[in-house]
Amino acid sequence: QVQFVESGGDLVQPGGSLRLSCAASGSRFSIYTMGWYRQAPGKQRELVASITSSGTTTYIDSVKGRFTISRDNAKNTVYLQMNSLKPDDSAVYYCNRPKIIVAWGQGTQVTVSS
């Protein structure tokens, strides 16, 4: 049973940066497309960025040029580097496998506020 543990969230000022990490348990991590999701209060969870097993990345328009998703298959970990953060980026961030969603982790809170 694969499990995800997200970390790295914090309170930052607008324009600041954070790097989120998601450690995955279980085997065969490298063959799956991985994604970062976020859910703000009162809003649906949305897929923010994804990375395939071969390293192809996709982003929603609102984060293009500011966020970078990457992975380290040797560490079973996926990262989300977030720069130029805006208040609208405030949410709980989760990782999962977009094509085969499994149990959600606890997420990590990102709050962008002055």
Side-chain angles (χ1 to χ4, degrees), residues 7-81:
S7 62
D10 206 344
L11 169 63
V12 296
Q13 293 187 343
S17 297
L18 282 175
R19 188 192 194 205
L20 306 184
S21 298
C22 168
S25 65
S27 60
R28 306 178 71 191
F29 171 83
S30 62
I31 71 171
Y32 293 107
T33 295
M34 290 297 300
W36 278 100
Y37 298 75
R38 66 186 179 188
Q39 186 168 23
K43 295 186 177 181
Q44 288 189 335
R45 190 171 299 178
E46 63 176 347
L47 178 61
V48 173
S50 64
I51 183 167
T52 67
S53 58
S54 61
T56 300
T57 58
T58 58
Y59 303 90
I60 58 172
D61 286 346
S62 61
V63 307
K64 282 181 181 177
R66 301 188 298 121
F67 289 12
T68 303
I69 187 171
S70 61
R71 66 192 298 163
D72 185 337
N73 290 332
K75 295 182 179 180
N76 276 19
T77 300
V78 61
Y79 304 98
L80 187 67
Q81 177 67 43

